[in-house]
Amino acid sequence: MRIPPLARVLLAMAAAQWCACAQGHITVTVFDYVNAPHSEIAPAVETARRAFLAAGVESQWLVCRPGDCQTGRPANGLYLELFLMPRLVTQLTGHAARHLAGYAMTGPFVPPRGYAFYDSARTVADRTLRPMGVVLGCILIHEAGHLLGLDHQRSGVMRDHVEAADMDNALMGRAFNSEEQKEDRKS
């Protein structure tokens, strides 16, 4: 039986002590600190949900405004938090400093958390002529992928700097690259 790469990551995480409850389902809460318009945030989380579904992973994406959020950790499955922030507050140095659109804190944080930066997403949307909801969706997919243990790839939404073609592919259910698909065929 072939198991998609992302599903394999989830299964491996299920064996980890901090997430013995995972059963191939993730819940992602997106904390919207920019009060993004519904016309941008709704397609972003739907794009992300469909991307994970195409990779064989059931996911639920919740959006809440800080202070209005009454979500708690689900009883079973993985739980991730993504924070949609206006911009990166502290400038990073080196490779990571170039037009940073998001950041995943992959250390021992429980729950795992990542950040997406609205101003960078707007810059990418303007540069690529892609809708803001698509760009935000790809950033959310990318950072959630890091939180699940995926590294940068040469193509797909896990590329260091996602390109327009990667965004178009994500919309068509091909968010993850062909290298991951080749790995899938070996299993």
Side-chain angles (χ1 to χ4, degrees):
M1 178 171 116
R2 291 177 29 203
I3 301 173
L6 201 51
R8 282 198 302 269
V9 169
L10 284 173
L11 290 172
M13 292 178 83
Q17 186 175 15
W18 68 271
C19 190
C21 58
Q23 299 297 321
H25 180 274
I26 60 174
T27 300
V28 182
T29 299
V30 178
F31 294 92
D32 180 5
Y33 280 88
V34 297
N35 199 22
H38 181 77
S39 61
E40 294 175 353
I41 197 79
V45 296
E46 180 59 17
T47 297
R49 187 193 67 75
R50 283 188 284 122
F52 280 90
L53 185 60
V57 177
E58 290 284 336
S59 61
Q60 178 181 16
W61 292 72
L62 309 169
V63 178
C64 63
R65 312 264 188 237
D68 293 342
C69 217
Q70 298 301 319
T71 65
R73 288 182 74 165
N76 39 11
L78 281 173
Y79 176 67
L80 309 175
E81 293 181 343
L82 293 173
F83 296 85
L84 180 57
M85 306 299 291
R87 69 195 55 77
L88 177 65
V89 177
T90 303
Q91 186 60 41
L92 300 177
T93 59
H95 176 70
R98 295 188 336 241
H99 308 289
L100 192 66
Y103 185 76
M105 299 181 72
T106 57
F109 300 98
V110 177
R113 62 190 63 167
Y115 298 87
F117 304 116
Y118 191 83
D119 63 340
S120 295
R122 172 62 59 207
T123 299
V124 171
D126 292 345
R127 178 179 55 83
T128 63
L129 303 175
R130 297 303 182 273
M132 187 65 166
V134 172
V135 174
L136 279 175
C138 288
I139 295 169
L140 296 175
I141 295 165
H142 182 99
E143 299 311 327
H146 281 317
L147 295 176
L148 294 170
L150 298 177
D151 294 325
H152 284 144
Q153 300 293 322
R154 287 179 287 189
S155 63
V157 295
M158 292 310 296
R159 179 195 307 253
D160 189 15
H161 289 87
V162 178
E163 300 295 330
D166 301 317
M167 291 180 231
D168 296 343
N169 285 334
L171 280 175
M172 294 185 286
R174 297 188 310 260
F176 299 98
N177 70 33
S178 60
E179 290 173 354
E180 292 165 326
Q181 292 170 4
K182 287 178 190 173
E183 182 181 325
D184 181 33
R185 285 191 277 277
K186 291 179 187 175
S187 299

